């Protein structure tokens, strides 16, 4: 490797490489700006303000694994627990080249607020490994997952911190984590992770839960805005677990999905895209590119379509100060974590766009994770109908509580959601007091 190349590779995997973010797209800052706004409006005590800003625990680990060719490579992994006052930390693990400590810190804090918005007895955590799973074999991914699990094993557990799937991790990865943890503990511990395969203690309905939650809150928002569900037009950015499921379920209730996108670009058909066919096409061709019956457009064009509902369901920083003015959707349902920057919030608010914020909109996943944890611990499993009914009830209640908060304090749904969750976490801290 040339020196320049080596330097670049080093920069890519250095755990402290947070200066790669501009201040607008630094996810930790984006989270903090909203937190500060909500905390100020709640007149949060200065001491508690300091406590809630600081992540409780940040673990950085080196993960040596052997590649299939016999070479040893060292990856960097993280697990951050932002707050555990209401219960065990809860949150996914992502495998991605863009992972950094700042991103994981932000995502962990978002999990604290998300779990509190939907009133689950969990705190917030998040993990990640800097890697590109698309370049790794199944055997390498398994070794990476198992060694990462071993490296963070002291801080995870059903009562401590319960990981789950996130970007580029799935049921298969959760199965390896559960097995590794159980082998160390010398007995089977299913409740250490959620999002597992159903045959090993996973929950019915978990796979679709985030997308289903998006559907429930979008229907509630349409109702609030006195808009019809039948024929409501939708653009979905991101066609992974969240985006594809949301699109499928929205189409099932009669909404018209006019555009979807993935890494290969976006496709548009004003008459509606057949989502089942798009899912089949992806199975055969990996990407949407070349899908018949829709014309290719750019991701930026998708975001600017004049639709009733826009669902950003990929990664952070998709709607920013640079493109927010161009957005013409009436409702935005944030399937992803952190798709809108704080600077973009102000522009969307001024345009009167109704934003269902990430910590409410995509909370369906962690809600069914909670159900999975409860079922594992109780050793008694529910049918899919029960899971979906209970999920719907929590999503509707939480939507209404956030909406009430935003009306009462004359703030956006986002700040309303932060206020509701900060209030709940703060209440727990006040009751528990400060251990010294
Ligand atoms: N990764 C998902 C999220 O960001 C799910 C987390 C969980 O189920 O614990 O909400």
């Amino acid at each position: 490797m040339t020196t320049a190349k080596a330097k670049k590779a080093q920069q890519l995997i250095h755990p402290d490489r947070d200066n790669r973010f501009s201040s607008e797209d630094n996810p930790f800052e984006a989270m903090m700006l909203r937190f500060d706004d909500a905390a100020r409006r709640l007149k949060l005590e200065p001491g508690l303000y300091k406590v809630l800003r600081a992540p409780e625990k940040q673990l950085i680990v080196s993960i040596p694994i052997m590649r299939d060719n016999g070479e040893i490579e060292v990856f960097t992994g993280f697990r951050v627990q932002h707050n555990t006052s209401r219960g065990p930390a809860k949150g996914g693990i992502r495998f991605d080249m863009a992972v950094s400590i700042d991103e994981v810190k932000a995502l962990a804090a978002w999990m604290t607020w998300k779990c509190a918005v939907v009133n689950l007895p969990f705190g917030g955590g998040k993990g990640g490994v800097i890697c590109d799973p698309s370049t790794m074999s199944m055997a390498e991914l398994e070794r990476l997952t198992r060694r990462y699990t071993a490296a963070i094993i002291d801080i995870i557990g059903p009562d401590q911190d319960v990981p789950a799937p996130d970007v580029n991790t799935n049921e298969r990865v959760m199965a390896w984590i559960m097995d590794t943890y159980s082998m160390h503990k010398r007995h089977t511990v299913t409740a250490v992770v959620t999002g597992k395969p159903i045959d090993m203690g996973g929950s019915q309905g978990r796979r679709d839960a985030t997308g289903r939650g998006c559907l429930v809150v979008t229907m509630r928002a349409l109702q609030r805005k006195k808009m019809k569900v039948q024929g409501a037009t939708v653009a979905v950015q991101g066609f992974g677990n969240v985006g594809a499921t949301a699109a499928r379920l929205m189409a099932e209730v009669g909404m018209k999905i006019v555009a979807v996108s993935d890494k290969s670009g976006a496709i548009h058909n004003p008459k509606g895209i057949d989502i089942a066919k798009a899912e089949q096409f992806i199975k055969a061709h990996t990407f949407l590119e070349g899908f018949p019956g829709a014309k290719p457009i750019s991701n930026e064009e998708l975001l600017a379509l004049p639709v009733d509902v826009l669902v950003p369901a990929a990664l952070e920083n998709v709607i920013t100060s640079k493109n927010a003015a161009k957005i013409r959707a009436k409702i935005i349902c944030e399937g992803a974590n952190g798709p809108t920057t704080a600077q973009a919030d102000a522009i969307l608010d001024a345009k009167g766009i109704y934003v269902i914020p990430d910590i409410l909109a995509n909370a369906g996943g962690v809600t069914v994770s909670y159900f999975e944890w409860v079922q594992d611990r109780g050793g008694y499993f529910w049918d899919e109908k029960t899971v979906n009914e209970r999920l719907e009830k929590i999503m509707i209640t939480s939507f209404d509580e956030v909406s009430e908060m935003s009306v009462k304090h004359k703030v956006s749904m986002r700040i309303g959601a932060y206020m509701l969750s900060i209030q709940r976490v703060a209440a727990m801290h006040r009751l528990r007091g400060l251990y010294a």
Side-chain angles (χ1 to χ4, degrees):
M1 216 189 265
T2 63
T3 330
K5 256 194 182 165
K7 219 173 175 183
K8 192 150 183 244
Q10 187 56 34
Q11 272 168 0
L12 270 177
I13 57 167
H14 196 278
D16 300 325
R17 61 205 176 105
D18 298 324
N19 49 8
R20 77 198 166 91
F21 293 116
S22 75
S23 100
E24 176 170 358
D25 62 18
N26 182 316
F28 194 67
E29 273 181 39
M31 188 278 300
M32 277 305 174
L33 283 170
R34 277 73 167 253
F35 172 82
D36 284 352
D37 185 350
R40 217 174 16 248
R41 290 174 196 271
L42 286 169
K43 299 192 173 44
L44 194 67
E45 308 88 294
L48 207 39
Y49 170 79
K50 282 189 230 166
V51 172
L52 296 186
R53 276 180 73 96
E56 279 175 22
K57 201 173 279 178
Q58 304 178 50
L59 182 59
I60 303 180
V61 294
S62 293
I63 312 159
I65 66 151
M66 191 178 285
R67 301 301 291 241
D68 292 343
N69 64 7
E71 272 178 31
I72 288 175
E73 200 160 327
V74 181
F75 293 86
T76 301
F78 310 92
R79 186 75 192 172
V80 173
Q81 294 168 1
H82 170 259
N83 188 287
T84 59
S85 62
R86 285 168 55 90
K90 188 80 194 79
I93 290 170
R94 59 174 61 178
F95 287 173
D96 197 70
M97 283 311 288
V99 166
S100 73
I101 187 67
D102 250 23
E103 185 190 55
V104 180
K105 267 162 62 186
L107 290 162
W110 272 323
M111 288 308 302
T112 300
W113 313 132
K114 191 186 300 187
C115 290
V117 166
V118 283
N119 218 354
L120 309 179
F122 285 140
K126 200 82 175 195
V129 177
I130 306 170
C131 66
D132 178 359
S134 70
T135 63
M136 297 171 75
S137 70
M138 198 66 139
E140 288 173 342
L141 269 179
E142 176 170 357
R143 288 197 287 277
L144 179 78
T145 304
R146 288 185 183 277
R147 187 64 193 250
Y148 168 68
T149 306
I152 63 166
I153 205 157
D154 287 338
I155 67 163
I156 60 170
D159 292 312
Q160 274 178 283
D161 182 350
V162 185
D166 200 76
V167 174
N168 295 333
T169 57
N170 54 20
E171 292 179 7
R172 180 69 267 175
V173 173
M174 297 307 115
W176 291 326
I177 297 177
M178 183 284 225
D179 181 65
T180 307
Y181 185 86
S182 299
M183 295 313 286
H184 279 254
K185 297 292 163 187
R186 317 302 291 163
H187 61 103
T188 297
V189 188
T190 52
V192 65
V193 276
T194 59
K196 299 179 295 295
I198 289 182
D199 288 339
M200 71 181 311
S203 177
Q204 297 288 344
R206 174 63 185 86
R207 205 178 294 164
D208 283 356
T210 312
R212 186 173 295 282
C214 289
L215 168 72
V216 174
V217 292
T218 299
M219 286 177 65
R220 202 79 179 158
L222 286 166
Q223 202 182 39
R224 284 289 155 96
K225 302 266 296 173
K226 303 201 171 20
M227 289 161 68
K228 279 209 189 89
V229 171
Q230 283 301 318
T233 53
V234 186
V236 181
Q237 188 251 346
F239 209 66
N241 174 265
V242 181
T245 307
R248 174 165 44 83
L249 297 178
M250 286 177 181
E252 269 172 30
V253 297
M255 295 165 81
K256 190 157 76 171
I257 316 301
V258 295
V260 292
S261 75
D262 65 8
K263 277 185 196 149
S264 71
I267 53 171
H268 179 218
N269 183 347
K271 294 204 183 85
I273 293 168
D274 186 330
I275 295 303
K277 283 203 180 127
E279 283 188 300
Q280 274 167 10
F281 186 87
I282 292 231
K283 271 199 192 119
H285 303 89
T286 317
F287 293 112
L288 285 166
E289 197 174 18
F291 178 72
K295 80 171 186 351
I297 56 170
S298 68
N299 243 301
E300 280 302 310
E301 284 169 322
L302 176 144
L303 294 173
L305 287 172
V307 284
D308 294 318
V309 183
L310 172 64
V311 186
L315 290 165
E316 299 98 82
N317 302 326
V318 173
I319 304 174
T320 67
S321 59
K322 293 189 189 77
N323 63 5
K326 296 193 198 123
I327 306 254
R328 288 183 286 168
K330 297 190 180 82
I331 295 170
I332 297 178
C333 172
E334 294 186 335
N337 291 312
T340 309
T341 66
Q343 286 77 353
D345 272 352
I347 303 170
L348 299 179
D349 283 351
K351 286 174 70 111
I353 297 174
Y354 191 94
V355 179
I356 315 169
D358 49 3
I359 56 174
L360 169 65
N362 70 37
V366 74
T367 300
V368 177
S369 274
Y370 164 58
F371 296 161
E372 182 172 331
W373 179 81
V374 168
Q375 291 170 81
D376 286 343
R377 288 164 69 103
Y380 180 73
F381 291 85
W382 317 341
D383 59 23
E384 191 172 354
K385 187 166 166 279
T386 307
V387 169
N388 290 345
E389 279 168 7
R390 290 179 176 172
L391 168 65
E392 189 173 337
K393 187 162 177 244
I394 289 186
M395 294 306 294
I396 290 179
T397 307
S398 309
F399 181 97
D400 290 352
E401 285 171 342
V402 168
S403 170
E404 233 169 74
M405 196 70 154
S406 80
V407 171
K408 185 171 158 205
H409 293 272
K410 298 190 179 57
V411 292
S412 65
M413 285 287 278
R414 184 178 325 276
I415 297 303
Y418 272 79
M419 289 176 77
L420 179 67
S421 56
I422 293 170
Q423 206 172 55
R424 286 182 173 153
V425 179
M428 180 61 113
H429 275 264
R430 287 187 202 106
L431 287 166
R432 290 181 62 157
L434 192 63
Y435 174 77

